[in-house]
Amino acid sequence: MDPLAALLDGPRAHGAFLLRSVLTPPWSLRIEDRAPLTVVPVVRGEAWIVPDTGEAVLLGEGDVAIARGPDPYLVADHPSTPPQALILPGQECRTPDGAHLTDYADLGVRTWGTGGPVVLLTGTYGMAGEISKKLLAALPALIVLRAADWPTPLVALLAGEIGRDVPGQEAVLDRLLDVLLIAALRAWFDRPGTPAPAWYRAHRDPVVGQALRLLQHQPAEPWTVAKLAANTGVSRAALARRFATTVGETPMAYLTGWRLALAADLLRQHPEATIAAVARQVGYGSAFALSAAFKREFGVSPQRYRTA
């Protein structure tokens, strides 16, 4: 699997924070939840997103913003409107002076606000795994996809589903959020002039893309450059040269990083799994071999990492 898909295959939306906000100007929310990634589609009306550093951006109806944490930002009817609410870690809501929030009320299933003409959706990913760090590191603090440039039915679909309270709805919303995010990121990476990371562009290369897919889908395979070259139909030297030029590192260096990232996520997601079992799953012959490589990469043992 590629790193774009891996963002949603490891710590993907699973009981993600999803909320519809219905607001009347003046309104202003300061987001300090330190979430690694938040998706903000505008269903109706307009909203400004104001990072602490960088340009304020006006969003229109159908636009989608993706904010990469943990830096705080403001979402408001206008950049000059003082914050009325602070959104803190764990989605705790307070007034700017720390009191309980009373101006914003519960308006129904997954819906809050003051009522009014502006409707926003918020989808927050609360975890970042080691695999997704490769993706998150490639993203700017704020991405905006305009409705006119990226027509999609996904915003309306998520808006229509978010207020339903039926069995299995949380799983439906998680998957819709995943689809919206990955489609938006793909559209952004594919946009002319966007500095897409080398590992994303490399998937378009017929040789390097095939090699990447083999490494990502079969990390436990005892890969060598020669074996990888045989599976991609080129010489060992040609693959090594082409891979390093396209991806920015050698095939074996990439494989090592991928295996250790997988191991890190597995340690967190499956606390019942032994270190030896995780080692076998990601291509290390023993718990000792994984532990040595893991400590070189992360500075701590797998067990210490798991319990940190």
Side-chain angles (χ1 to χ4, degrees), residues 3 34 111 180 250 286 288 303:
R34 300 190 63 81
T111 303
L180 175 61
T250 67
S286 67
F288 177 80
Q303 191 60 44

Side-chain angles (χ1 to χ4, degrees), residues 152-232:
T152 176
L154 294 171
V155 172
L157 185 58
L158 183 60
E161 290 286 340
I162 198 168
R164 298 186 66 199
D165 188 16
V166 294
Q169 189 63 5
E170 187 173 283
V172 169
L173 293 173
D174 285 349
R175 298 293 73 76
L176 283 176
L177 179 60
D178 284 349
V179 172
L180 175 61
L181 174 60
I182 203 165
L185 289 177
R186 187 173 58 192
W188 185 77
F189 279 142
D190 289 340
R191 192 168 59 183
T194 297
W199 51 258
Y200 182 83
R201 297 192 307 269
H203 279 272
R204 297 176 179 173
D205 185 288
V207 173
V208 177
Q210 185 180 353
L212 281 170
R213 285 186 287 274
L214 288 168
L215 296 177
Q216 290 159 356
H217 286 280
Q218 303 174 47
E221 190 73 17
W223 291 111
T224 63
V225 176
K227 184 174 181 179
L228 202 57
N231 278 269
T232 54

Side-chain angles (χ1 to χ4, degrees), residues 37-62:
L37 208 65
T38 301
V39 185
V40 183
V42 179
V43 178
R44 191 171 69 232
E46 295 181 338
W48 285 87
I49 291 193
V50 188
D52 276 13
T53 57
E55 299 281 335
V57 179
L58 178 62
L59 303 177
E61 191 168 305

